[in-house]
Amino acid sequence: MPTTTTILETPRLTLREMEPADAPFIVEQLTDPSFLANIGDRGVHDLDSAQPYIERWRANYARDGYGLWLVERRDTREPVGLCGLVRRDTLPGPDIGYSLLPRFRGQGYALEACTAVRDHALKTLGLPRLLAIVSPGNVASAKVLDRIGLQSQGRITLGDSTEELDLYAIDA
């Protein structure tokens, strides 16, 4: 069994690398209706399809030194969501991404996790710029990005998609 690698800690949260044992949580997170509506279907619908998803992120950790990390409460180790850095071929730099299960929204966890990831990206990793993309109707996510200092850069489309997304950025 892989050793859990902690990346960041905040007063209430631990952000760590995903591991194979996280498959039940990954299925719950990626099949949540708001995840599907705001982020999209990642092809994870059961435990078998969760394993390749986890392995892709583990490969990203090795290749890039970052990725989406599992966010869990420090006091109970209960997973609450995902937060981290995503490298996309369709953007000129890494972007911050996050999602929380519905029962953990509205408690400040997104702001706490995203603040830690922003600081890690700009200070520890030395990235010159951090981006974020948000579906135009996702007001809650846009508010979190505003609160951690990212500023709207207008609308973009990624790759061959016709879907417009709001782009946010902050410079180091």
Side-chain angles (χ1 to χ4, degrees):
M1 177 159 176
T3 303
T4 301
T5 302
T6 297
I7 305 300
L8 299 167
E9 287 188 326
T10 70
R12 299 183 299 162
L13 304 170
T14 298
L15 284 74
R16 65 169 176 81
E17 292 181 354
M18 286 183 244
E19 54 191 42
D22 297 320
F25 167 76
I26 296 300
V27 171
E28 183 180 8
Q29 179 72 73
L30 274 62
T31 59
D32 172 61
S34 64
F35 184 96
L36 293 168
N38 290 305
I39 298 171
D41 187 342
R42 297 296 184 245
V44 174
H45 305 285
D46 54 30
L47 293 176
D48 289 338
S49 56
Q51 291 302 332
Y53 179 86
I54 293 167
E55 288 309 313
R56 281 192 303 275
W57 282 112
R58 293 182 65 75
N60 283 20
Y61 306 149
R63 181 190 70 211
D64 300 326
Y66 58 79
L68 272 184
W69 300 301
L70 188 132
V71 180
E72 61 188 13
R73 289 178 42 169
R74 285 181 70 176
D75 59 351
T76 64
R77 299 207 52 189
E78 181 180 14
V80 302
L82 300 170
C83 187
L85 300 168
V86 181
R87 185 177 86 169
R88 300 174 203 271
D89 294 337
T90 52
L91 284 175
D95 66 286
I96 189 169
Y98 82 93
S99 62
L100 298 178
L101 289 174
R103 66 184 174 272
F104 298 109
R105 295 180 193 145
Q107 301 174 50
Y109 292 137
L111 182 62
E112 191 171 324
C114 287
T115 298
V117 170
R118 177 207 59 204
D119 291 348
H120 182 73
L122 299 176
K123 297 174 184 171
T124 305
L125 298 177
L127 297 178
R129 189 169 215 221
L130 179 60
L131 304 173
I133 51 174
V134 180
S135 297
N138 191 343
V139 176
S141 287
K143 184 176 177 182
V144 169
L145 297 174
D146 285 336
R147 288 189 65 193
I148 66 167
L150 278 78
Q151 297 180 335
S152 176
Q153 307 293 303
R155 294 243 166 112
I156 62 164
T157 56
L158 299 181
D160 296 333
S161 174
T162 58
E163 178 189 13
E164 286 193 328
L165 300 168
D166 292 331
L167 177 67
Y168 287 77
I170 188 172
D171 293 320

